[in-house]
Amino acid sequence: MGDLTKSLLNLDEQASSIVKSAEDSASQIIEEANKNYSRIINSYIEKAEKEKEKLSEKIRQEVEKYRKEKESELEKIISGFEKLSKENREKFIEKIFEDLRGRICG
């Protein structure tokens, strides 16, 4: 009976050792998995930030291009109005001189 008890205690010790080893291994696997998860997530975050920066720059360039195009169009319109105003002013002055000439010479 003593040998049987000794064998059972020995088996219990071995089982406890196996359980502890399994728990330690599981703990290491979980720790490594968490590190890998964090590394992967950080990698995706970095890639997303880089893509965001690229898109922001592209949008900024498109907005600047649009602004310059509209500015150019406005300058053409203003120039056209200034030219039209000058022509109308010249015609108005010419008309006044003709009217005055007609009154004076008339």
Side-chain angles (χ1 to χ4, degrees), residues 8-21:
L8 285 174
L9 289 174
N10 191 21
L11 283 174
D12 187 49
E13 269 184 38
Q14 287 176 359
S16 293
S17 176
I18 291 170
V19 168
K20 177 150 177 31
S21 176

Side-chain angles (χ1 to χ4, degrees), residues 4-45:
L4 185 59
T5 304
K6 209 183 246 188
S7 291
L8 285 174
L9 289 174
N10 191 21
L11 283 174
D12 187 49
E13 269 184 38
Q14 287 176 359
S16 293
S17 176
I18 291 170
V19 168
K20 177 150 177 31
S21 176
E23 287 174 345
D24 289 346
S25 293
S27 179
Q28 289 175 349
I29 289 169
I30 290 170
E31 185 178 326
E32 189 66 30
N34 286 336
K35 287 178 186 177
N36 287 337
Y37 174 78
S38 294
R39 185 180 46 79
I40 290 168
I41 292 299
N42 287 338
S43 174
Y44 278 116
I45 289 171

Side-chain angles (χ1 to χ4, degrees), residues 63-103:
V63 167
E64 183 64 18
K65 179 182 172 186
Y66 179 80
R67 185 193 66 76
K68 286 181 179 180
E69 287 172 0
K70 292 303 171 187
E71 189 176 85
S72 176
E73 289 175 17
L74 279 173
E75 286 176 4
K76 289 176 184 175
I77 290 170
I78 290 171
S79 175
F81 279 135
E82 288 173 346
K83 183 179 176 183
L84 183 63
S85 175
K86 183 179 178 182
E87 289 172 1
N88 285 341
R89 190 173 36 238
E90 289 172 357
K91 287 179 183 177
F92 179 72
I93 292 171
E94 189 178 305
K95 192 172 183 181
I96 290 175
F97 280 138
E98 286 179 18
D99 188 45
L100 286 174
R101 190 178 310 135
R103 290 183 186 190

